[in-house]
Amino acid sequence: MQTTRAIGPFTVSAIGLGCMNLSHAYGVPPSPEQAERVLLAALDAGVTLFDTAALYGFGANEELVGRVLAPHRSRFTLASKGGLGGVRGEDGVLRRVIDGRPEALRQSCEDSLRRLKTDVIDLYYLHRWDKKVPIEDSVGAMADLVRQGKVRTLGLSEVSAATIRKAHAVHPITAVQTEYSLWTRNPEIAVLEACREIGASFVAFSPLARGFLTDTLHDVGALDAKDIRRPMPRFAPENYAANLKLLPAYKALATEVGCTPAQLALAWLLHKAPHIVPIPGTTQLDHLHEDIGAADVRLTPAQMAQLETLIGEHNVVGPRYAPQATGEVDTENFAPSAG
């Protein structure tokens, strides 16, 4: 299997790094020193795709990436996202706001460039489609950023095949980013094919099922109060207990293949299609090197089929998002199961 993959004009490592959890989302983030160690170790290990967003830590993640990686800017492809960020209310509290208006996207990009300490972002995504704004208007504003030399290529996140095609008619879409793993198969409905059709790469976030497929999360009751998994139905105690029953056979297959559970999950994605690039995130150096090692794992067609039988929409209990978050995305969904 190739150790690099194409995202538009860029050649990137087959496995990139999602930087979100160095600042955001899964409880207390690591110290700045530890976050710096992870970023530099990834770069030294050959990772050449780093993915951040204005939302992560309400700008703190971009500032971290800028501070640590700006001196090495020529060595990697930089991806960030706008259109979803924090707005401070009258009470002084920062709240997550989706805003796809052209003027908001222009300002978001300027702010990201400043935090990232760079003149240009290689791949700039619309983090969420603001359904109050036609996708053509948001992408039109982002196309202006390309023409101005502030952004090299454009991407979309958590959108449907129909939205991808509408956006692509305005300006070429280089990549689409959506959650994709053995336990979240929504992209298989239509988005993977739409990406293939228009020549876009598919960037898989949460490829390890937010920790489930690493076999390291056994007690969801121990999750930090601010961990974003707490309101997710699959991580509700009763549902998660049911989902844990899927792991023994999965771990047995990892042993048979000769890799760790995390590597098996990433290898499955790499074998699914050559236009898929997973971006696992981690705060630990050993997990970083483990993830990167998945590019060396080989799976047979029989093992691929077995994996898809072991874990999938047919037996995972609970939807991936709670109702509010479900309403914020535009991705196709499978019909609800009886589970």
Side-chain angles (χ1 to χ4, degrees):
M1 186 184 301
Q2 71 266 45
T3 55
T4 60
R5 300 211 160 179
I7 295 183
F10 312 111
T11 298
V12 301
S13 51
I15 296 173
L17 182 69
C19 299
M20 178 179 77
N21 57 357
L22 295 175
S23 307
H24 177 91
Y26 296 117
V28 179
S31 68
E33 295 77 15
Q34 175 64 8
E36 179 172 344
R37 280 192 287 271
V38 170
L39 290 171
L40 292 176
L43 191 66
D44 289 344
V47 172
T48 57
L49 174 64
F50 289 81
D51 182 277
T52 181
L55 175 71
Y56 304 158
F58 296 120
N61 195 246
E62 287 184 326
E63 287 175 355
L64 168 71
V65 170
R67 177 174 60 80
V68 175
L69 294 183
H72 312 282
R73 184 66 184 86
S74 62
R75 293 173 58 189
F76 65 92
T77 297
L78 176 63
S80 195
K81 312 176 197 72
L84 175 58
V87 172
R88 199 174 296 281
E90 291 180 7
D91 57 4
V93 176
L94 273 170
R95 290 183 176 83
R96 188 174 177 277
V97 174
I98 297 173
D99 191 345
R101 295 172 302 147
E103 60 269 29
L105 290 170
R106 285 191 289 270
Q107 186 61 54
S108 181
C109 182
E110 292 293 344
D111 292 343
S112 290
L113 288 166
R114 185 187 71 254
R115 289 189 292 257
L116 289 163
K117 300 185 188 302
T118 188
D119 296 328
V120 63
I121 296 167
D122 297 317
L123 172 57
Y124 194 57
Y125 292 93
L126 184 65
H127 203 160
R128 289 289 186 276
W129 173 33
D130 180 350
K131 296 173 185 177
K132 302 184 298 298
V133 178
I135 190 67
E136 294 88 347
D137 292 359
S138 295
V139 172
M142 294 167 72
D144 288 340
L145 297 172
V146 176
R147 284 187 280 273
Q148 292 162 14
K150 295 174 180 178
V151 166
R152 290 198 170 103
T153 62
L154 300 185
L156 303 171
S157 178
E158 293 279 25
V159 291
S160 65
T163 302
I164 291 167
R165 292 187 181 99
K166 284 181 189 174
H168 188 68
V170 175
H171 187 278
I173 297 300
T174 293
V176 175
Q177 181 172 142
T178 292
E179 182 176 355
Y180 188 32
S181 69
L182 278 164
W183 89 338
T184 296
R185 307 279 273 280
N186 307 61
E188 295 173 6
I189 301 171
V191 164
L192 283 176
E193 183 53 40
C195 287
R196 192 180 289 110
E197 202 178 279
I198 67 168
S201 298
F202 181 90
V203 176
F205 77 75
S206 296
L208 301 175
R210 303 185 189 274
F212 173 70
L213 292 171
T214 65
D215 187 38
T216 58
L217 178 63
H218 303 121
D219 178 15
V220 289
L223 292 175
D224 185 90
K226 293 185 177 179
D227 193 302
I228 62 168
R229 291 171 288 191
R230 277 203 171 269
M232 293 179 177
R234 289 179 183 177
F235 292 92
E238 191 174 318
N239 289 346
Y240 199 70
N243 289 327
L244 284 175
K245 294 174 182 174
L246 304 177
L247 284 181
Y250 174 77
K251 290 191 291 180
L253 183 54
T255 300
E256 177 189 312
V257 170
C259 66
T260 68
Q263 288 173 333
L264 185 60
L266 294 170
W268 174 78
L269 281 167
L270 293 174
H271 282 72
K272 282 296 285 183
H275 67 305
I276 295 174
V277 181
I279 51 166
T282 185
T283 62
Q284 304 295 323
L285 294 178
D286 55 345
H287 292 165
L288 169 71
H289 293 295
E290 178 185 345
D291 292 346
I292 294 168
D296 297 324
V297 174
R298 301 289 178 268
L299 299 175
T300 67
Q303 288 165 336
M304 289 287 289
Q306 188 180 350
L307 273 171
E308 294 176 17
T309 301
L310 290 176
I311 299 176
E313 293 296 326
H314 59 286
N315 59 9
V316 171
V317 180
R320 71 182 178 117
Y321 283 147
Q324 180 185 336
T326 298
E328 292 179 352
V329 301
D330 176 49
T331 42
E332 295 86 354
N333 282 308
F334 290 97
S337 64

